[in-house]
């Protein structure tokens, strides 16, 4: 009775190992302009820039400062985006 599931375990292990070898052998795919990848719009690039700036500011804050600014990232990010948009305008 114990050996009934042994062949299934061997097959499953070989599939997992085979997948791991083939997955690690692949090189990362990089989107190139020829592959049809669209360029970011002005608004999208500005949003990413704001997110990077706000993220850097958030990581630089101490625990006490984070509690004063907004205890969680979404609240802080919302305030930060509004502030950065006001500065730009």
């Amino acid at each position: 009775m114990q050996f009934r599931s042994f062949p299934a375990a061997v097959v499953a292990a070989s599939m997992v190992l085979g997948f791991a070898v083939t997955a690690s052998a692949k090189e990362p795919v990089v989107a190139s302009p020829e592959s049809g990848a669209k360029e970011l719009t002005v608004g999208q690039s500005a949003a990413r820039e704001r997110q990077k700036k706000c993220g850097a500011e958030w990581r630089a804050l101490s625990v006490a400062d984070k509690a004063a600014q907004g205890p969680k990232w979404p609240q802080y990010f919302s305030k930060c985006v509004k502030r950065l948009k006001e500065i730009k305008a």
Side-chain angles (χ1 to χ4, degrees), residues 37-53:
K38 295 181 180 179
E39 291 186 22
L40 296 176
T41 64
V42 176
Q44 289 172 332
S45 61
R48 286 188 180 184
E49 212 173 292
R50 284 190 299 268
Q51 186 175 15
K52 287 180 182 181
K53 286 181 183 178

Side-chain angles (χ1 to χ4, degrees), residues 10-87:
V10 170
V11 171
S14 64
M15 290 174 64
V16 168
L17 291 176
F19 176 72
V21 170
T22 57
S24 65
K26 292 182 181 178
E27 293 183 17
V29 178
V30 178
S32 63
E34 299 87 31
S35 68
K38 295 181 180 179
E39 291 186 22
L40 296 176
T41 64
V42 176
Q44 289 172 332
S45 61
R48 286 188 180 184
E49 212 173 292
R50 284 190 299 268
Q51 186 175 15
K52 287 180 182 181
K53 286 181 183 178
C54 291
E57 290 176 13
W58 175 255
R59 288 186 297 277
L61 290 175
S62 68
V63 176
D65 290 335
K66 286 181 183 178
Q69 295 289 330
K72 305 217 184 236
W73 164 248
Q75 289 85 14
Y76 179 81
F77 182 63
S78 176
K79 292 176 186 176
C80 181
V81 168
K82 287 177 187 175
R83 180 175 42 86
L84 291 175
K85 284 183 176 181
E86 288 175 0
I87 291 172

